[in-house]
């Protein structure tokens, strides 16, 4: 990261204006300020770290190209995050055909009590669990839990019905419970 | 939602909501490379437009220069053959005294003043002998001295009878070409029924010209293109250097007024800044990617997304809009300062016919980069009318050739498009060079 000391960089307006003018240093500062947070967002949507890096790269290119449309009506962080999510959705939706249709029946329908899940799990393990979800389940789970969207909105965004969205969320939760249970068992064995 | 679902959601939300992870350093390098390439591409394109325009201008000027030199050489050769034994006790035409000179009501080739006098057979004792054709600087000065002996026009009945004028109250006859020369400089009054010719005796002038234009316009919002209003469309448009090349013909009615018309071809370029193009539903319920500009709407068809749905979008990396139109103006020109240095003002109307409109678009769709040329911009009219005005500052570099500059302004009075989100009346101002070839 560039180590130029710019006192007014807290002012996102100056940062945005610099980026719009094409100042490479400002663009670098903006990237390095928000990239770690956005990588965290991308990790939840992607299947792995490489895919997350791809989304991050395309997302930031889109940010720099569309920054002139930013109206300072919401914090810059949220604006960038929205672009990242849109970019992820678009990229992943185009790859839909590459993923096999997931059969929910292969997952156990046994209800796992979440109370039994230990709190000793690392963040990376939780991310790995989300990443292991089938594409549509992963997208619906992210949009519902992290973005706070309603099923109707998710359905419109992903071009699925409201019922399908609910179904995907149900499946996602069920799979996550299954994985939490397995992880918990592993911890107990190790203990 | 039951308690378990809540617990699952909260567990993941609490742990992952604010999760941060250091990106791979190579990601920024890739982004930086992309931005550098994009900047270079934009500079290259602007340079290319400028280079192409300059090349065309130089070609036109070179062609005109060749034509002019060829014509001068031919005329010079003709005169030298016509005056092999010119008497040299007075001013004689030399290689500087070349060209055709139109007399009053007649056209004759001047070979030598002495030959002219010999042919006329009139009393030259008190005539303006020794005058050469006006292009000869020595002869011009000489004639000016003689002209001082003339009576002031109109002071005591200066009169024309055939080719005679009153000098000190005595009528004398002079040659027609000399009379025309005096008339042109307002040294003698103009006889009734005779029309004064141009400063160099030429009524028709051809004017090839080339200008660099800057395009802008008057914009009226008709409706919002989905969520984009007029200002959003205009903000991402940046006019590039545009050019006009044309050939006009000028007909000189009198010393001050002339009429001008002809044709020209204008090429107008506009850059479109990067933006996101969303898929919008048309009136048939089909989602399409459409880019709206101040000139019209362009549909992108090669996105690779065969069946776009609501929420789909592509990233427009850059685009350039090209509009080519053919103009036929009708102008009235007023020569404010006639003479070797000529300043004239012109105004009139022009009919403009759009002959070509296209848009070159670079975009990213689903991680793939695409380039598409859209041959038709929806909503553009076939023609529009404009009011043209301009100035022309020229300098005579020869009897027939003048060069100069011509700043101009074109304001459309009818819109260039219809049924589009923005109704546009193009306005362009330009500065260029011209050559005037008097026939």
């Amino acid at each position: 990261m560039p180590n130029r000391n710019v006192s007014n960089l807290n002012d996102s307006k100056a940062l945005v204006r610099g980026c719009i003018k094409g100042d490479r240093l400002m663009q670098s500062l903006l990237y390095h300020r928000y990239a770690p947070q956005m990588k965290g967002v991308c990790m939840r949507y992607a299947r792995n770290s490489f895919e997350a890096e791809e989304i991050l790269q395309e997302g930031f290119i889109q940010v720099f190209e569309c920054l002139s449309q930013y109206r300072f009506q919401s914090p810059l962080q949220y604006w960038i995050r929205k672009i990242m999510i849109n970019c992820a959705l678009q990229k992943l939706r185009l790859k839909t055909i590459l993923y096999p249709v997931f059969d929910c029946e292969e997952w156990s329908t046994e209800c796992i009590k979440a109370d039994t899940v230990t709190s000793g799990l690392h963040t990376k393990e939780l991310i790995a669990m989300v990443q292991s979800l089938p594409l549509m389940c992963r997208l619906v789970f992210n949009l519902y839990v992290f973005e706070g969207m309603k099923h109707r909105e998710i359905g419109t965004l992903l071009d699925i019905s409201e019922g399908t969205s609910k179904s995907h969320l149900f499946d996602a939760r069920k799979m996550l419970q299954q994985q939490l249970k397995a992880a918990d068992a592993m911890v107990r064995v190790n203990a | 939602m039951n308690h378990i679902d809540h617990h699952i959601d909260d567990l993941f939300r609490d742990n992952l909501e604010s999760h941060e992870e250091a990106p791979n350093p190579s990601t920024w390098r890739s982004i930086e490379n992309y931005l550098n390439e994009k900047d270079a591409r934009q500079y290259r394109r602007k340079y290319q437009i400028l280079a192409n325009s300059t090349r065309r201008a130089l070609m036109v000027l070179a062609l005109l220069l060749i034509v002019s030199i060829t014509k001068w050489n031919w005329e010079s050769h003709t005169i030298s053959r016509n005056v092999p034994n010119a008497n040299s006790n007075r001013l004689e035409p030399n290689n500087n005294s070349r060209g055709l000179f139109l007399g009053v009501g007649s056209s004759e080739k001047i070979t030598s003043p002495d030959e002219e006098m010999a042919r006329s057979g009139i009393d030259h004792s008190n005539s303006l002998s020794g005058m050469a054709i006006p292009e000869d600087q020595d002869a011009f000065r000489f004639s000016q001295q003689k002209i001082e002996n003339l009576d002031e026009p109109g002071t005591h009945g200066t009169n024309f009878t055939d080719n005679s004028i009153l000098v000190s109250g005595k009528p004398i006859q002079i040659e027609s070409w000399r009379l025309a020369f005096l008339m042109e400089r307002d040294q003698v009054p103009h006889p009734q029924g005779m029309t004064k010719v141009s400063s160099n005796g030429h009524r028709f002038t051809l004017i090839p010209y080339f200008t660099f234009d800057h395009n802008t316009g008057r914009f009226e919002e008709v409706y919002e293109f989905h969520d984009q209003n007029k200002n959003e469309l205009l903000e991402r448009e940046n006019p590039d250097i545009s050019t006009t090349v044309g050939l006009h013909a000028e007909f000189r009615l009198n010393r001050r007024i002339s009429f001008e018309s002809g044709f020209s071809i204008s090429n107008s370029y506009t850059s479109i800044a990067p933006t996101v193009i969303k898929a919008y539903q048309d009136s048939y319920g089909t989602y399409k990617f459409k880019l709206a500009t101040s000139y019209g709407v362009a549909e992108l068809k090669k996105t690779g997304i065969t069946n776009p749905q609501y929420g789909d979008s592509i990233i427009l990396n850059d685009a350039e809009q090209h509009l080519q139109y053919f103009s036929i103006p009708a102008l009235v020109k007023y020569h404010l300062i006639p003479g070797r240095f000529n300043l004239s003002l012109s105004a009139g109307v022009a009919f403009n016919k759009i002959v070509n409109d296209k848009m070159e678009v670079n975009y990213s769709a689903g991680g793939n980069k695409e380039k598409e040329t859209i041959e038709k911009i929806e909503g553009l009219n076939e023609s529009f009318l404009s009011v043209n005005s301009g100035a022309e500052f020229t300098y005579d570099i020869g009897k027939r050739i003048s060069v100069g500059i011509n700043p101009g302004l074109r304001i459309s009075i009818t819109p260039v498009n219809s049924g589009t989100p923005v109704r546009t009346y193009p306005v362009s101002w330009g500065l260029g060079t011209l050559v005037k070839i008097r026939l």
Side-chain angles (χ1 to χ4, degrees):
Chain A
M1 179 175 178
N3 50 14
R4 190 173 93 173
N5 183 17
V6 184
S7 59
N8 66 346
L9 280 186
N10 288 328
D11 179 6
S12 63
K13 284 191 179 179
L15 193 60
V16 169
R17 285 189 191 121
C19 291
I20 291 171
K21 283 179 187 169
D23 185 335
R24 200 67 79 238
L25 182 63
M26 289 295 199
Q27 288 170 334
S28 171
L29 286 167
L30 184 137
Y31 171 81
H32 286 95
R33 178 182 284 185
Y34 294 108
Q37 298 169 39
M38 297 310 143
K39 175 78 183 289
V41 174
C42 295
M43 285 295 282
R44 286 192 275 108
Y45 284 86
R47 271 177 74 99
N48 51 48
S49 183
F50 295 111
E51 202 171 73
E53 290 284 350
E54 274 183 34
I55 297 168
L56 186 75
Q57 182 179 325
E58 284 180 25
F60 265 102
I61 285 173
Q62 198 165 337
V63 165
F64 290 129
E65 290 188 337
C66 305
L67 208 53
S68 56
Q69 296 174 16
Y70 175 57
R71 298 282 175 261
F72 301 97
Q73 289 166 349
S74 60
L76 182 59
Q77 180 186 345
Y78 296 145
W79 187 79
I80 295 175
R81 181 188 170 117
K82 199 175 171 184
I83 287 183
M84 289 294 160
I85 292 167
N86 284 337
C87 198
L89 289 178
Q90 188 164 345
K91 190 172 178 66
L92 297 173
R93 275 185 59 198
L94 287 169
K95 287 186 176 178
T96 306
I97 52 168
L98 301 177
Y99 290 86
V101 177
F102 174 69
D103 184 5
C104 289
E105 294 303 315
E106 70 185 60
W107 289 85
S108 167
T109 54
E110 183 188 350
C111 182
I112 301 116
K113 289 194 175 180
D115 295 347
T116 61
V117 174
T118 64
S119 58
L121 286 171
H122 293 294
T123 309
K124 279 189 179 177
E125 289 168 314
L126 292 175
I127 287 177
M129 286 178 194
V130 176
Q131 287 179 338
S132 70
L133 292 173
L135 177 65
M136 291 307 281
C137 293
R138 188 165 73 239
L139 296 183
V140 172
F141 182 77
N142 269 303
L143 294 171
Y144 185 87
V145 175
F146 295 98
E147 313 309 329
M149 292 174 78
K150 308 282 183 208
H151 282 294
R152 185 179 297 169
E153 294 170 314
I154 295 170
T156 310
L157 192 62
L158 299 180
D159 196 28
I160 55 176
S161 69
E162 195 177 333
T164 309
S165 175
K166 285 177 182 173
S167 170
H168 282 311
L169 182 65
F170 175 79
D171 291 340
R173 282 177 178 150
K174 204 170 11 176
M175 288 176 232
L176 289 172
Q177 280 179 15
Q178 187 91 6
Q179 292 190 63
L180 285 169
K181 185 190 169 191
D184 187 51
M186 189 70 76
V187 170
R188 285 181 184 176
V189 168
N190 290 339
Chain B
M1 191 189 295
N2 60 33
H3 169 69
I4 297 168
D5 292 341
H6 267 303
H7 181 81
I8 294 282
D9 291 357
D10 292 342
L11 175 72
F12 282 90
R13 192 185 296 115
D14 294 345
N15 283 281
L16 301 183
E17 176 77 71
S18 55
H19 170 64
E20 291 186 9
E21 199 169 318
N24 192 325
S26 65
T27 305
W28 169 245
R29 284 200 293 275
S30 301
I31 294 171
E32 199 173 20
N33 285 342
Y34 173 84
L35 294 172
N36 288 340
E37 276 177 25
K38 193 184 138 213
D39 287 351
R41 210 163 47 235
Q42 283 180 340
Y43 282 122
R44 237 186 343 257
R45 195 177 58 202
K46 284 192 176 176
Y47 170 77
Q48 202 171 3
I49 291 171
L50 190 65
N52 287 343
S53 306
T54 309
R55 202 178 302 130
R56 284 175 200 160
L58 288 174
M59 280 172 65
V60 170
L61 288 174
L63 190 68
L64 289 168
L65 198 63
I66 291 166
V67 170
S68 306
I69 289 169
T70 309
K71 202 165 177 58
W72 277 6
N73 284 340
W74 179 81
E75 285 169 0
S76 175
H77 179 67
T78 305
I79 285 169
S80 63
R81 278 198 312 170
N82 284 346
V83 286
N85 300 310
N87 194 338
S88 59
N89 59 357
R90 289 204 185 103
L91 276 171
E92 293 176 9
N94 51 32
N95 284 339
N96 292 329
S97 303
R98 52 170 100 76
L100 291 170
F101 187 83
L102 286 174
V104 179
S106 67
S107 171
E108 39 186 315
K109 174 167 276 186
I110 298 304
T111 53
S112 157
D114 292 333
E115 280 184 21
E116 179 83 5
M117 288 174 189
R119 278 206 311 269
S120 66
I122 59 172
D123 178 17
H124 297 301
S125 59
N126 200 14
S127 69
L128 299 173
S129 60
M131 281 195 343
I133 56 176
E135 193 179 12
D136 191 312
Q137 294 299 310
D138 293 335
F140 180 73
R141 280 196 292 275
F142 180 73
S143 67
Q144 287 291 86
Q145 290 169 4
K146 291 289 181 184
I147 284 164
E148 285 171 8
N149 295 327
L150 286 170
D151 286 351
E152 285 297 314
T155 51
H156 40 268
T158 301
N159 198 9
F160 274 90
T161 307
D162 297 329
N163 286 341
S164 66
I165 57 173
L166 289 178
V167 178
S168 303
K170 185 182 175 186
I172 59 164
Q173 278 191 303
I174 62 169
E175 299 85 342
S176 59
W177 63 271
R178 286 175 184 148
L179 181 60
F181 175 61
L182 294 173
M183 282 170 60
E184 278 308 304
R185 279 148 187 78
D186 288 336
Q187 297 292 339
V188 294
H190 298 269
Q192 285 185 349
M194 286 186 174
T195 307
K196 198 169 124 180
V197 293
S198 70
S199 61
N200 286 303
H202 307 282
R203 279 179 179 278
F204 285 100
T205 306
L206 277 182
I207 311 172
Y209 68 95
F210 179 89
T211 61
F212 288 106
D213 303 324
H214 175 80
N215 294 313
T216 173
R218 186 162 62 84
F219 306 98
E220 293 174 357
E221 182 166 310
V222 181
Y223 61 88
E224 280 199 357
F225 185 74
H226 299 280
D227 53 347
Q228 300 167 47
N229 60 24
K230 181 185 82 174
N231 292 335
E232 282 175 284
L233 297 186
L234 296 178
E235 268 177 16
R236 61 178 183 233
E237 292 183 11
N238 186 27
D240 280 336
I241 296 169
S242 302
T243 56
T244 297
V245 61
L247 179 66
H248 286 188
E250 181 185 323
F251 176 74
R252 199 132 182 183
L253 297 172
N254 57 42
R255 192 162 180 256
R256 295 278 183 186
I257 308 287
S258 56
F259 175 75
E260 186 177 321
S261 186
F263 66 87
S264 67
I265 292 275
S266 298
N267 286 288
S268 155
Y269 297 93
T270 308
S271 290
I272 314 289
T275 186
V276 175
I277 304 172
K278 294 177 184 170
Y280 293 116
Q281 203 169 19
D282 64 9
S283 52
Y284 299 101
T286 312
Y287 282 93
K288 289 177 177 173
F289 291 106
K290 288 191 170 185
L291 172 64
T293 69
S294 59
Y295 280 88
V297 180
E299 184 187 344
L300 282 69
K301 295 176 179 171
K302 298 177 183 173
T303 57
I305 303 171
T306 49
N307 190 17
Q309 298 297 320
Y310 176 84
D312 282 344
S313 61
I314 57 175
I315 307 167
L316 177 80
N317 298 326
D318 60 77
E320 186 166 76
Q321 189 172 252
H322 175 210
L323 196 69
Q324 188 179 57
Y325 55 92
F326 180 86
S327 297
I328 301 174
L331 304 168
V332 175
K333 190 181 278 183
Y334 181 77
H335 298 267
L336 206 62
I337 307 172
R340 174 155 280 199
F341 290 98
N342 189 330
L343 173 63
S344 54
L345 304 174
S346 62
V349 292
F351 170 77
N352 306 285
K353 165 86 176 163
I354 296 173
V355 290
N356 191 9
D357 57 287
K358 66 178 179 182
M359 195 184 289
E360 289 187 355
V361 190
N362 289 305
Y363 53 87
S364 303
N368 299 320
K369 288 186 172 56
E370 297 286 347
K371 184 175 182 178
E372 184 176 344
T373 301
I374 300 155
E375 297 290 348
K376 182 69 188 165
I377 300 170
E378 297 169 21
L380 268 178
N381 291 340
E382 288 188 351
S383 60
F384 60 99
L385 291 174
S386 62
V387 172
N388 293 15
S389 63
E392 192 180 281
F393 185 77
T394 57
Y395 175 73
D396 293 354
I397 58 169
K399 182 168 174 57
R400 290 173 173 274
I401 308 289
S402 306
V403 293
I405 55 171
N406 56 337
L409 177 69
R410 285 180 287 187
I411 302 171
S412 297
I413 50 175
T414 60
V416 74
N417 50 10
S418 56
T420 50
V422 178
R423 189 181 293 131
T424 301
Y425 298 80
V427 174
S428 74
W429 53 268
L431 180 65
T433 57
L434 61 87
V435 177
K436 295 180 84 167
I437 306 167
R438 284 177 283 277
L439 302 178

